[in-house]
Amino acid sequence: MQETKLWINGQWEQAQSTYELTSPYSGEMIAKVAKANSQDVERAIEGAHEAFQVFKKTTAYERAEILYKVVDIMRKRKQELAEILAKEAAKPISAGVAEIDRTIATYQFSAEAAKQSTGETVPMDAAPGITDRIGYTKRIPLGVVSAITPFNFPFNLVAHKLGPAFAVGNTVVLKPATQTPLSAIIMADIFKEAGLPDGCLQIVTGSGGELSDTLVAHPHVKKVTFTGSGVVGLKLKEKVGLRKITLELGSNAAVIVEPSAPIEKIVSRAVSGAFGFAGQVCISLQRIYVHTSIYDEFVRQFVMETKKLRVGDPLDANTDVSAMIHPNEVERIKAWIEEAKIQGAVIATGAEFTERTLSPTVVTNVTAQMKIVCEETFAPIVSIVSYETLTKAIALVNESELGLNAGIYTNVLTDAMYAADELEAGAVMINDIPTFRVDHMPYGGVKMSGYGKEGVKYAIDEMTNLKFITIKTTF
């Protein structure tokens, strides 16, 4: 059984205590994980600050080469890395391979972006009386970045923080989710092999509740980047003050299906968006609004496609849906479903529980006030609602405190453009599910879904300061 350590200043260090990491699927213990304390975090931050003084002077070429080497190493170890996801996160192995592919792309985008961080010239003579000045801007690294990541994409969401940070010369203290530390820990070895200088990456595992104050409040920390719950995100934002912060929080992503959309061509795509990784995705399809003229047929086909999904061992290549991350989460969503049923919701299929799993569940006859509709379920459950006009459908989608991604299926261009303007979301997918994401696009929500943007180029803007420089050409 694996026993992990802390990665501080390029060395593996024993922690004073450990915690047991168990498989979400089987419940068996798979590792004893080092549990950092606030003193460990302080040393990590101070080491990252010291490393930054050297790393910020490296060239764009040198930083890009490190990231390209990470890409090469991960390609060679893809299956091994996917199996880590299956064991610690119960992510089906096929989905694990797909995540590693995306992670590789994220680091590749970061390597390319390292060479493309540019400023602009400012026409100083546009101001009256200024004839002898040149002005330009450049982006400079911030320093130490505290990165706090969730369990659901433990390789790729880490990459969205490490890749852009290293591309521009920042250093990072990483606190991965307590359930998925192994994926972060192996990245320490990969970055070491790739030539990242000691101290540029620090990894402290343990309780976010116990470590977050130090990770956020330490004066050497110049930027906090967090993906997780809205409750925690709000608390972090209150503590950051004038320093930079990016928050990627929750959602209850919705799609509108207009009568011009060919049902048979979109149902399987919608099913995958609703139930991939047991619905434990920030942009998992949770709400489907279907025009009343095609509602019954859509529900029929959607239920039929959902019933084809197989629940089982994440290491089995035939598994579509595996365990939720923890039995407590199963109990939570079980209570939400029972509450919705009391309020009138109808289970079209699913709602079959074990201690660790929930079968893919389709619910109809819901209202906007039910928890399974208005809050983030983070579970394999989707609600299907009928509507009569596009204006009403958009109003139903917007009737939420959350707004990360939204989507619409329609063959009418004017309706698509109208929805794109009116939907309250950080991104609108036309003729696709809101679960769509590629790793160089801007990604971030509105309302209670977040603050700031990810996506490599956009994360780099968030992880640098814009400095203006002017030269007076005459004395």
Side-chain angles (χ1 to χ4, degrees):
M1 183 182 60
Q2 185 175 355
E3 187 164 345
T4 75
K5 298 180 180 180
L6 306 175
W7 182 248
I8 298 179
N9 298 326
Q11 302 291 330
W12 292 113
E13 293 192 9
Q14 195 79 42
Q16 291 183 359
S17 62
T18 62
Y19 67 92
E20 294 182 356
L21 181 68
T22 59
S23 161
Y25 177 71
S26 68
E28 65 181 358
M29 188 166 67
I30 54 178
K32 287 186 177 180
V33 180
K35 190 175 182 182
N37 56 37
S38 58
Q39 291 76 30
D40 296 323
V41 176
E42 286 180 0
R43 289 191 300 111
I45 293 172
E46 289 162 4
H49 176 68
E50 184 176 341
F52 172 67
Q53 309 311 314
V54 177
F55 193 54
K56 67 181 180 181
K57 298 175 183 177
T58 56
T59 66
Y61 174 83
E62 291 169 328
R63 297 191 298 272
E65 283 299 293
I66 292 169
L67 291 163
Y68 280 129
K69 288 175 184 175
V70 169
V71 167
D72 290 340
I73 295 166
M74 292 191 73
R75 281 177 176 154
K76 294 173 183 174
R77 301 177 67 173
K78 183 191 299 186
Q79 189 65 27
E80 172 195 357
L81 301 179
E83 288 174 4
I84 290 174
L85 287 173
K87 291 174 183 176
E88 71 173 356
K91 179 163 286 193
I93 192 69
S94 58
V97 170
E99 179 176 342
I100 301 306
D101 283 335
R102 281 188 59 190
T103 305
I104 289 168
T106 301
Y107 284 122
Q108 186 159 12
F109 283 132
S110 299
E112 292 160 357
K115 298 181 179 182
Q116 297 170 4
S117 182
T118 60
E120 62 180 2
T121 58
V122 179
M124 302 303 290
D125 61 353
I130 304 298
T131 60
D132 59 350
R133 287 185 182 273
I134 298 169
Y136 66 96
T137 63
K138 63 185 296 187
R139 290 207 162 268
I140 60 172
L142 300 174
V144 179
V145 175
S146 279
I148 305 171
T149 57
F151 73 84
N152 56 338
F153 285 87
F155 276 107
N156 197 36
L157 293 184
V158 164
H160 272 284
K161 300 176 190 312
L162 301 190
F166 294 149
V168 292
N170 292 315
T171 57
V172 181
V173 179
L174 171 64
K175 211 301 286 183
T178 52
Q179 180 58 44
T180 52
L182 304 183
S183 49
I185 287 166
I186 199 168
M187 290 308 301
D189 287 332
I190 289 174
F191 270 102
K192 178 78 171 179
E193 183 181 345
L196 184 72
D198 290 346
C200 292
L201 173 60
Q202 315 272 353
I203 301 177
V204 288
T205 49
S207 166
E210 295 173 7
L211 304 179
S212 62
D213 281 353
T214 309
L215 283 164
V216 172
H218 196 289
H220 286 330
V221 173
K222 304 304 179 186
K223 159 84 180 182
V224 175
T225 175
F226 169 80
T227 303
S229 75
V231 173
V232 175
L234 284 174
K235 290 179 180 178
L236 295 179
K237 194 170 188 307
E238 291 172 357
K239 297 173 183 177
V240 165
L242 294 177
R243 290 171 295 167
K244 290 194 171 189
I245 187 169
T246 298
L247 301 173
E248 296 296 343
L249 309 177
S251 185
N252 55 353
V255 70
I256 297 168
V257 183
E258 280 280 86
S260 62
I263 295 174
E264 67 282 358
K265 293 184 178 180
I266 66 177
V267 163
S268 63
R269 175 71 170 159
V271 167
S272 69
F275 303 122
F277 191 37
Q280 299 169 123
V281 181
C282 294
I283 45 178
S284 180
L285 178 55
Q286 184 175 327
R287 299 179 291 155
I288 306 176
Y289 296 98
V290 183
H291 191 271
T292 185
S293 64
I294 58 171
Y295 177 81
D296 290 341
E297 180 60 17
F298 183 91
V299 171
R300 187 189 71 80
Q301 291 192 31
F302 193 93
V303 168
M304 185 171 61
E305 193 71 21
T306 298
K307 288 180 176 179
K308 296 177 183 178
L309 299 177
R310 294 184 55 176
V311 180
D313 187 335
L315 287 168
D316 184 342
N318 295 313
T319 292
D320 300 301
V321 178
S322 190
M324 292 179 64
I325 198 66
H326 194 277
N328 289 348
E329 289 298 292
V330 178
E331 289 301 312
R332 173 188 61 81
I333 198 62
K334 186 176 183 179
W336 286 16
I337 290 173
E338 290 304 313
E339 180 181 279
K341 287 165 65 177
I342 291 170
Q343 295 170 347
V346 175
I347 306 300
T349 189
E352 297 173 356
F353 294 90
T354 70
E355 178 189 7
R356 299 179 179 276
T357 66
L358 165 62
S359 62
T361 301
V362 181
V363 187
T364 61
N365 200 42
V366 299
T367 65
Q369 291 71 41
M370 293 177 182
K371 286 181 180 176
I372 60 170
V373 176
C374 67
E375 298 189 27
E376 182 178 41
T377 58
F378 231 57
I381 177 171
V382 65
S383 298
I384 309 179
V385 182
S386 66
Y387 69 88
E388 294 184 350
T389 67
L390 178 57
T391 300
K392 178 59 176 176
I394 291 171
L396 288 168
V397 173
N398 291 344
E399 191 178 351
S400 173
E401 293 183 346
L402 304 168
L404 188 47
N405 283 6
I408 180 171
Y409 281 100
T410 178
N411 276 333
V412 181
L413 180 61
T414 52
D415 288 344
M417 295 298 98
Y418 173 68
D421 287 341
E422 296 299 320
L423 287 168
E424 296 171 357
V428 176
M429 312 304 165
I430 296 173
N431 290 335
D432 205 353
I433 53 176
T435 321
F436 174 78
R437 182 186 181 185
V438 289
D439 297 288
H440 63 303
M441 70 186 235
Y443 180 77
V446 299
K447 299 190 279 192
M448 296 299 292
S449 280
Y451 184 85
K453 294 288 184 184
E454 287 192 337
V456 173
K457 172 183 179 294
Y458 307 92
I460 282 176
D461 288 346
E462 304 267 358
M463 290 186 177
T464 52
N465 277 327
L466 188 68
K467 177 181 279 189
F468 173 73
I469 300 162
T470 182
I471 304 169
K472 193 172 186 296
T473 58
T474 60
F475 289 96

